[in-house]
Amino acid sequence: MENLSGRMIKGYQLMERIGAGAFGAVYRSYQSTVGREVALKIILPGFANHPSFIRRFEMEAQLIARLEHIHMVTLYDYWRDPSGAYLAMRWLRGGSLKEAIQERPFSVREAARLMDQVGSALAAAHRNDIVHRDLKPSNILLDEEGNAYLADFGIALDTGMQAGSAAETEPILGSPAYLSPEQARRELVTPRSDIYSLGVTLYEMLTGKHPFAGASALECLYKHINEALPPIETLDPEIQEGVNEIVQKATAKNPRQRYQDIFEMVAAFQEAVHLGEDGQNKELVESLTPREQQILGLIVQGRTNKQIAQGLFVEASTVKWYITQIYRKMGVRSRVQAMVRARELDLIQPGGDSPAAGAGAHTIEPGAQMPPNPYKGLRAFEAADSRDFYGREALTKRLVNRLGEEDYRGRFLAIVGPSGSGKSSLVKAGLIPALHRSALPGSEDWFIVAMTPGSRPLEALEVALTRVSADMASNIHGQLESGERGLLRVAGLILPNDGSDLLIVIDQFEDLFSLVEEEAARRHFLDLLYAAVTDSRSRVRVVITLRADFYDRPLHYADFGELLRRRMETVLPLSAEELERAIRRPAESVGIRFEPGLVATIIDEINYQPGALPLLQYALTELFENRQDDLLSYRAYRDIGGAAGALARRAEEIYQDLS
């Protein structure tokens, strides 16, 4: 593809291209608005404009952006238009695992540490029903200390949204050299598909070469489907057989014969690598010279190369040479790894003497992964938050049923409720994910866009439609302006000829009456929607959310008002039972419990209070942050001010800190 270095794209200054492949390219870029370097991945239009990619991109990008793990590359920003798909990610300066392997194979100890880091990140994705689908050495990045980070979820798949037939029509996504057999056959992918790719990556780490080195892309696909990976013959005989068994099980052709989950595979490898560890402490200490032991102790104390050189009255280049020998003997690649390795082998003894002189006061404890806060504070739920959205199951089912009605009336639905009743969350975290899960026949293939009218509703609609358009030449704006059938024409231009529908979700529909000043613009927008949902051959559906105090405004427009009257669902307060689910279930999903009776106390405080849901979510967010281990307690609830007082208390704290 063309080298875009030097160009500016949506506030990102593209610097040098740092990688390119079949799907696109990655550029080191500068984001001027926040003054940071990022890695900007551009996925080529040939893939980004495929209907299956368009359907899932935005929701999956939301999901990936919400994934939080210490060994996962952060996704800062994303967008898609007919020119391609774009993902802005954290920039890591240590290169990739692919580059590290090209220097030399990994020792089994190095591989075990990397497997632990990448495996924990991959497990976090799998817990959220995300399959990476393109796991390979170039998608595992390293920082300057040699720690590994799982990157590039650009073609990841939310397994909870998968349709059984989708894999048959979409292109093969993933790199042929690391592709699982089921991906090569275009069958359903699962977390075990990632386990296969990780098995191939492990083989390459330990040998320094790909198991099917020299094979073309087509030959690789054939070999992945039909041939087992060759055995590794370069390891210590004591562990070689065990490691080969792990690689073969991870890369079994039948997914059911692989490891049940990523933790099982990582644990098996750790056990195989640590076989015969007794006596290794002694052997390593004997292999380290006294000077190397001394320098290791200074590394553990946090001294830089320059400080070590000054303290030992030697040149910095001499210290660097010693550190290279230490890394080689310990089987590590960085200071942090050396410190962790020293702890594993008891070279660092708390409060006592250590073979590594001066290291006694510094122990390295692995950081525990804290459970993510499942509550949303004051922000509305999004589709990516559906797993934490409870209490509206019955209403969600009713909305789905109404959208499934046979005649044109099923193409429009207005959701009306007071401010703070959870209308936006109901649609985004309840209705949309249900449609992606095939709640209606064929709904998993719908193209779904969300928008708010703002003061320029036609422009907002154009931007929303561009996100699912595969054609730059569609002239969406001109079509929308051309008459009341403009939206129908746009749908015909941007939708593939596969019978799929376009669902437009218009949140905060009251903007049309509070922010739009020109009556002609307001009426034209209403006419576009009315024509699109009432035409007998239309493939357009519209769902709006409307604040109850604006309910009368659309009624002044005869046709649209009648449509609203017939096709309205009201959002009532949650019942006590629904409130209990909304309060209790998110915490339970991450292993956190409430002190007995606390949930009932919270319900009594906020039940049937107008606009209580945002206050409740904020209070639960604060309560979760003030938990004691795995317990949400009465004491913490009182300390934050309860459901009614938590937000006011926090606002007062912020106010008191102001000048």
Side-chain angles (χ1 to χ4, degrees):
M1 65 175 294
E2 178 189 1
N3 191 329
L4 303 179
S5 297
R7 293 195 185 179
M8 178 73 76
I9 300 179
K10 286 201 174 182
Y12 294 92
Q13 178 68 46
L14 274 57
M15 302 164 83
E16 74 269 19
R17 186 167 66 182
I18 56 178
F23 298 107
V26 181
Y27 293 83
R28 182 172 69 90
S29 306
Y30 183 73
Q31 187 180 7
S32 57
T33 53
V34 293
R36 67 181 172 193
E37 286 187 325
V38 303
L40 187 69
K41 172 153 191 176
I42 303 175
I43 299 175
L44 291 170
F47 297 98
N49 287 338
H50 191 278
S52 63
F53 186 97
I54 296 173
R55 287 185 181 102
R56 69 173 186 255
F57 173 73
E58 190 154 338
M59 177 170 285
E60 289 187 15
Q62 280 185 18
L63 285 163
I64 294 160
R66 299 284 170 83
L67 290 177
E68 294 182 1
H69 193 276
I70 191 172
H71 290 293
M72 194 176 292
V73 175
T74 305
L75 178 62
Y76 295 138
D77 193 10
Y78 58 87
W79 70 93
R80 197 213 71 86
D81 58 37
S83 65
Y86 303 81
L87 301 108
M89 302 166 287
R90 177 186 171 189
W91 165 250
L92 289 162
R93 301 177 184 276
S96 69
L97 176 60
K98 179 181 179 180
E99 295 164 341
I101 292 173
Q102 288 172 347
E103 293 180 6
R104 63 173 174 85
F106 276 49
S107 71
V108 289
R109 299 292 175 180
E110 292 175 302
R113 184 168 293 108
L114 187 140
M115 287 282 290
D116 185 56
Q117 293 176 340
V118 173
S120 63
L122 199 56
H126 290 173
R127 282 196 301 272
N128 286 276
D129 297 328
I130 297 292
V131 179
H132 191 286
R133 294 208 301 177
D134 196 25
L135 189 64
K136 57 185 178 180
S138 60
N139 283 340
I140 297 172
L141 304 183
L142 307 175
D143 64 16
E144 293 173 295
E145 295 292 345
N147 295 302
Y149 300 83
L150 186 58
D152 201 357
F153 282 85
I155 58 170
L157 179 64
D158 176 12
T159 58
M161 305 294 181
Q162 260 191 115
S165 60
E168 299 174 3
T169 58
E170 65 183 20
I172 294 178
L173 296 179
S175 302
Y178 303 90
L179 212 62
S180 68
E182 57 271 25
Q183 287 174 274
R185 292 191 293 258
R186 301 192 185 192
E187 296 172 353
L188 203 65
V189 300
T190 70
R192 295 187 186 188
S193 305
D194 284 343
I195 290 176
Y196 183 96
S197 301
L198 186 59
V200 179
T201 299
L202 175 60
Y203 182 102
E204 191 168 346
M205 276 195 287
L206 296 173
T207 65
K209 62 181 181 180
H210 190 274
F212 305 135
S216 67
L218 189 60
E219 289 170 339
C220 270
L221 293 179
Y222 176 85
K223 289 176 179 291
H224 282 310
I225 293 173
N226 298 291
E227 295 183 15
L229 272 62
I232 301 173
E233 299 177 343
T234 56
L235 301 178
D236 185 326
E238 190 173 10
I239 64 171
Q240 182 165 288
E241 182 179 355
V243 170
N244 272 314
E245 288 177 357
I246 291 164
V247 172
Q248 293 302 321
K249 182 172 182 178
T251 58
K253 304 307 174 187
N254 185 340
R256 291 190 295 273
Q257 295 174 356
R258 296 175 203 154
Y259 289 99
Q260 180 177 347
D261 57 42
I262 199 70
F263 281 133
E264 185 183 0
M265 178 185 175
V266 172
F269 186 69
Q270 297 283 2
E271 183 179 353
V273 167
H274 287 82
L275 189 65
E277 189 169 71
D278 292 343
Q280 284 191 356
N281 183 336
K282 181 174 181 293
E283 293 173 6
L284 181 56
V285 172
E286 289 176 351
S287 69
L288 291 172
T289 67
R291 177 66 95 180
E292 288 167 354
Q293 293 182 36
Q294 184 182 25
I295 291 176
L296 176 60
L298 295 170
I299 289 173
V300 173
Q301 290 181 13
R303 307 285 182 87
T304 65
N305 287 9
K306 183 178 180 180
Q307 290 170 333
I308 294 173
Q310 291 172 344
L312 298 180
F313 302 101
V314 297
E315 295 292 330
S317 59
T318 302
V319 172
K320 186 174 181 180
W321 182 87
Y322 274 116
I323 290 175
T324 301
Q325 305 309 307
I326 293 169
Y327 287 0
R328 180 181 58 80
K329 292 178 180 181
M330 299 184 73
V332 301
R333 293 173 181 256
S334 71
R335 287 171 170 262
V336 171
Q337 291 178 358
M339 295 161 73
V340 173
R341 182 80 177 116
R343 174 187 174 277
E344 289 175 348
L345 295 179
D346 293 326
L347 299 181
I348 305 172
Q349 302 292 335
D353 294 333
S354 164
H362 299 269
T363 60
I364 306 298
E365 294 294 336
Q369 189 70 18
M370 293 295 103
N373 194 325
Y375 301 106
K376 307 307 168 191
L378 294 177
R379 66 178 177 82
F381 284 76
E382 300 288 343
D385 303 312
S386 61
R387 68 189 68 256
D388 298 324
F389 186 66
Y390 293 97
R392 292 294 193 188
E393 292 85 354
L395 183 52
T396 297
K397 186 176 181 180
R398 190 157 68 248
L399 297 181
V400 168
N401 290 338
R402 294 207 67 180
L403 276 178
E405 293 177 2
E406 292 296 328
D407 62 14
Y408 76 87
R409 292 177 300 179
R411 298 195 165 275
F412 179 84
L413 191 60
I415 299 169
V416 181
S419 178
S421 60
K423 302 181 296 297
S424 298
S425 297
L426 170 64
V427 174
K428 294 178 180 179
L431 177 61
I432 291 176
L435 295 172
H436 278 297
R437 293 192 296 266
S438 308
L440 291 174
S443 64
E444 72 279 0
D445 290 330
W446 291 3
F447 293 83
I448 302 177
V449 295
M451 57 166 285
T452 55
S455 60
R456 299 177 180 272
L458 209 63
E459 292 180 9
L461 180 58
E462 177 190 4
V463 170
L465 295 173
T466 300
R467 296 204 302 268
V468 294
S469 173
D471 183 5
M472 289 288 286
S474 296
N475 188 19
I476 293 175
H477 189 79
Q479 295 288 349
L480 293 177
E481 282 190 324
S482 63
E484 64 180 24
R485 296 181 62 81
L487 180 53
L488 278 169
R489 285 192 293 271
V490 170
L493 289 171
I494 67 175
L495 292 177
N497 189 26
D498 59 2
S500 56
D501 280 2
L502 169 67
L503 172 61
I504 303 171
V505 174
I506 307 177
D507 196 19
Q508 300 176 31
F509 198 72
E510 59 272 8
D511 285 359
L512 200 63
F513 306 97
S514 62
L515 299 179
V516 178
E517 296 179 355
E518 297 181 10
E519 173 60 24
R522 179 167 37 247
R523 183 176 292 277
H524 179 60
F525 189 77
L526 292 172
D527 289 344
L528 285 172
L529 300 182
Y530 183 81
V533 298
T534 56
D535 187 278
S536 60
R537 295 173 295 177
S538 174
R539 297 167 64 186
V540 179
R541 298 172 184 262
V542 175
V543 171
I544 69 171
T545 67
L546 178 66
R547 238 171 57 193
D549 51 325
F550 279 84
Y551 172 68
D552 64 314
R553 306 295 180 87
L555 301 181
H556 292 286
Y557 303 83
D559 290 339
F560 195 89
E562 178 64 17
L563 185 66
L564 177 69
R565 184 184 70 82
R566 291 175 175 270
R567 302 293 302 159
M568 180 181 68
E569 278 288 341
T570 55
V571 179
L572 301 176
L574 290 168
S575 67
E577 293 79 9
E578 291 171 331
L579 273 173
E580 181 177 5
R581 286 178 57 79
I583 294 169
R584 188 187 300 276
R585 291 296 297 277
E588 291 178 345
S589 70
V590 293
I592 304 299
R593 58 192 174 90
F594 284 84
E595 188 173 346
L598 178 56
V599 173
T601 298
I602 297 173
I603 292 173
D604 287 342
E605 184 175 339
I606 61 99
N607 200 13
Y608 296 113
Q609 295 295 322
L613 288 182
L615 295 178
L616 172 64
Q617 278 291 321
Y618 184 83
L620 291 171
T621 303
E622 290 286 293
L623 179 62
F624 191 91
E625 294 300 323
N626 288 273
R627 68 189 182 280
Q628 299 166 347
D629 298 324
D630 66 343
L631 180 67
L632 303 176
S633 66
Y634 272 104
R635 179 177 178 179
Y637 184 66
R638 289 194 299 269
D639 286 346
I640 66 170
L647 182 60
R649 173 179 169 274
R650 180 60 181 147
E652 184 64 24
E653 289 175 353
I654 295 172
Y655 177 75
Q656 292 299 333
D657 286 340
L658 299 176
S659 64

